[in-house]
Amino acid sequence: VVLLGPSGGEAAKPGLGGSAYLWNVLGERRGPCPPVDLEREAALHRLCRRAVSDGILSSCHDVSDGGLAVALAESGLLADPPLGASVKIVRDGRPDEVLFDEAQGRVVVSLPPDELPRLETVAGEMGVALDVLGRVTRESFSVEVSGGAGAAGSVPVRDLWEAWRTGLERALGPV
């Protein structure tokens, strides 16, 4: 499991401005929203297109609504059967900011371990930062954040799948 795009030292300080987490969990609407670097964004998308066409990637998911934690979880939940991940994110800042920051220009990808050198080469050629976060798993989704206050958590894939599959019905009532 790899994060493409700025992370760690290359990323701006994480923030929650304009995020789904800020509104849905903390009940606040405030900014500023993360800035967009169109040149970095274009390079990232060129890299993703090339890595897909070269057969390097197994999956590719943008970091958007919900931030990195949601992108990681959705990536596994969209697989058949659903998969988990074991990841370690090393980044300064509050764990909730690191996990739910919706900064632009980032994509979570998965790939066979033997394809990592090819991805590193192409990312280097295109000037896109690459951060290996962990590996795909079958039984659980676990995340560790270190570098700031630190946090860790784990949930069985089946529980995460059930929560994701029934979320809309729970929010709106039976259809």
Side-chain angles (χ1 to χ4, degrees), residues 65-133:
D65 290 349
L68 182 56
V70 172
L72 288 163
E74 285 180 349
S75 292
L77 293 175
L78 295 172
D80 186 19
L83 298 168
S86 176
V87 300
K88 181 175 183 178
I89 304 162
V90 180
R91 189 164 169 198
D92 289 331
R94 292 184 358 218
D96 62 340
E97 288 180 336
V98 171
L99 293 171
F100 302 109
D101 167 30
E102 295 178 3
Q104 305 298 306
R106 300 178 298 159
V107 172
V108 172
V109 300
S110 67
L111 62 154
D114 61 329
E115 292 288 359
L116 183 59
R118 283 178 65 200
L119 182 62
E120 289 172 328
T121 298
V122 176
E125 290 170 1
M126 296 189 172
V128 175
L130 178 148
D131 188 12
V132 177
L133 300 179

Side-chain angles (χ1 to χ4, degrees), residues 13-154:
K13 182 181 182 301
L16 298 173
S19 69
Y21 174 82
L22 187 67
W23 173 243
N24 292 311
V25 175
L26 302 180
E28 299 178 26
R29 285 190 184 193
R30 59 181 165 88
C33 292
V36 177
D37 182 327
L38 293 178
E39 288 183 27
R40 271 190 177 176
E41 192 80 36
L44 173 67
H45 289 275
R46 282 192 298 274
L47 168 60
C48 290
R49 282 195 315 273
R50 180 164 167 200
V52 167
S53 68
D54 289 354
I56 297 171
L57 302 181
S58 300
S59 70
C60 186
H61 192 299
D62 68 315
V63 177
S64 57
D65 290 349
L68 182 56
V70 172
L72 288 163
E74 285 180 349
S75 292
L77 293 175
L78 295 172
D80 186 19
L83 298 168
S86 176
V87 300
K88 181 175 183 178
I89 304 162
V90 180
R91 189 164 169 198
D92 289 331
R94 292 184 358 218
D96 62 340
E97 288 180 336
V98 171
L99 293 171
F100 302 109
D101 167 30
E102 295 178 3
Q104 305 298 306
R106 300 178 298 159
V107 172
V108 172
V109 300
S110 67
L111 62 154
D114 61 329
E115 292 288 359
L116 183 59
R118 283 178 65 200
L119 182 62
E120 289 172 328
T121 298
V122 176
E125 290 170 1
M126 296 189 172
V128 175
L130 178 148
D131 188 12
V132 177
L133 300 179
R135 61 186 175 76
V136 174
T137 63
R138 297 200 179 281
E139 299 298 320
S140 67
F141 176 73
S142 61
V143 176
E144 177 185 345
V145 177
S146 63
S154 183

